[in-house]
Amino acid sequence: KTKENEWQEAKNKIFTWFADEFYIYFQDGCNDFNDWHKTICDEFLNRFKPILNEYGYDAEKSLKYGKAQKIVNMIVFIFIRIS
């Protein structure tokens, strides 16, 4: 495998986890949004930062909590719009 293929696989794994978490949340009736939102943002950072660092990015500088919130919020908006 090339480094690029490994990078793509690592990202795909996280985004698959991300999609699964959204699907479960929306299927379960959207309870406790604030707690769920914080948990998803924290877990996204915990999963993605090590991968960014491994592939030469400065995760602490480039991926802050606010960016995780923005990503989660955009996906929530899309889920609501297509529902």
Side-chain angles (χ1 to χ4, degrees):
K1 290 183 183 179
T2 66
K3 200 76 160 159
E4 179 64 27
N5 287 344
E6 290 174 359
W7 167 244
Q8 290 301 325
E9 285 179 16
K11 287 191 311 183
N12 287 342
K13 186 176 179 181
I14 288 177
F15 292 132
T16 297
W17 163 82
F18 212 39
D20 290 345
E21 290 298 318
F22 275 88
Y23 180 79
I24 291 165
Y25 177 73
F26 282 95
Q27 288 297 311
D28 287 347
C30 306
N31 296 317
D32 301 317
F33 179 79
N34 290 333
D35 291 338
W36 174 84
H37 188 274
K38 181 177 180 349
T39 299
I40 291 299
C41 290
D42 289 340
E43 188 60 26
F44 177 74
L45 292 172
N46 289 337
R47 289 173 181 249
F48 208 61
K49 279 185 174 185
I51 292 169
L52 287 174
N53 288 329
E54 182 178 339
Y55 289 93
Y57 297 95
D58 183 355
E60 291 304 317
K61 188 175 183 180
S62 62
L63 188 59
K64 303 282 186 187
Y65 191 81
K67 284 188 181 180
Q69 287 178 308
K70 184 175 183 175
I71 292 166
V72 171
N73 291 343
M74 289 175 13
I75 295 172
V76 167
F77 177 78
I78 291 167
F79 267 82
I80 290 170
R81 297 278 294 184
I82 64 173
S83 302

